[in-house]
Amino acid sequence: MSDATILIIEDNEDTRELLKYNLAAAGYEVASAADGHEGLESARATLPDLILLDLMLPGMDGLEVCRRLKQNQETARIPVIMLTARGEEVDRIVGLELGADDYVVKPFSPRELSLRIKAVLRRTPGEDNGPDELWEEDGLRVDFGAHTVDIRDERVPLTATEFKLLSELIRGRGKVQTRDHLLDMVWDTHFEGYSRTVDTHIRRLRQKLGDFADWIETVRGVGYRFKS
């Protein structure tokens, strides 16, 4: 059983109630919202441990909700699993690039969703995501236990996925890490053909690292390397 809180943002009442029933039976605390605006307000007010986010929402779609969640420092680290009946590759890529942690296509089995939720929650803040509890060099400080990054004592707001990616790069610093390896390690699965997702997250991570951006080196045709 789990004491984690999950927020469901889903406009279809039948789907929403089914999700609530199954998640409550699995031991989760469950909150729900029927549209994007209500979901955003609920996320900001309750700061759940994970959000199940439908893509096709009235008023504000799931992609926009995800974008706003990841732009807000208070909600940026909340993991998001997108739910949608649309299975086109472009939708999956856009969702992942916006910071979603996983993507489940309807119809899905309760067991499949439960396994996805557990996998995402395993890599959320509070875990030891790096080689040591604390790593620091030249003003860049990464606290793996607290899941925080500081540059010259200024906090850098990273999403859970960005922090996991930085941690993986630091863990293998000095070694070239392929895009496929990073997909496997950061997203806990391999999204065939989704190497652009890694590139997008690397670009955003570099932007947030500022003066330390060039510590993430591109190895053309292979992947990335964090300076040793």
Side-chain angles (χ1 to χ4, degrees), residues 57-77:
L57 293 170
M60 181 190 301
D61 67 23
L63 293 177
E64 180 60 25
V65 173
C66 186
R67 181 181 293 108
R68 297 193 186 191
L69 286 169
K70 297 306 179 181
Q71 289 175 344
N72 185 300
Q73 186 169 349
E74 291 186 347
T75 58
R77 283 166 40 181

Side-chain angles (χ1 to χ4, degrees), residues 2-55:
S2 171
D3 58 358
T5 299
I6 297 178
L7 170 62
I8 302 165
I9 307 177
E10 164 66 64
D11 65 313
N12 184 282
E13 184 176 1
D14 290 340
T15 302
R16 189 169 64 249
E17 292 303 314
L18 181 62
L19 287 170
K20 287 169 64 176
Y21 175 82
N22 287 325
L23 292 172
Y28 295 105
E29 296 291 329
V30 184
S32 66
D35 60 57
H37 291 286
E38 181 186 355
L40 271 178
E41 292 179 2
S42 181
R44 292 166 180 166
T46 63
L47 299 178
D49 297 291
L50 183 142
I51 296 173
L52 296 179
L53 176 62
D54 184 37
L55 185 63

Side-chain angles (χ1 to χ4, degrees), residues 196-207:
R196 196 180 78 184
T197 299
V198 177
D199 297 338
T200 298
H201 280 80
I202 289 288
R203 184 173 67 251
R204 292 180 178 174
L205 187 55
R206 281 171 169 161
Q207 290 173 348

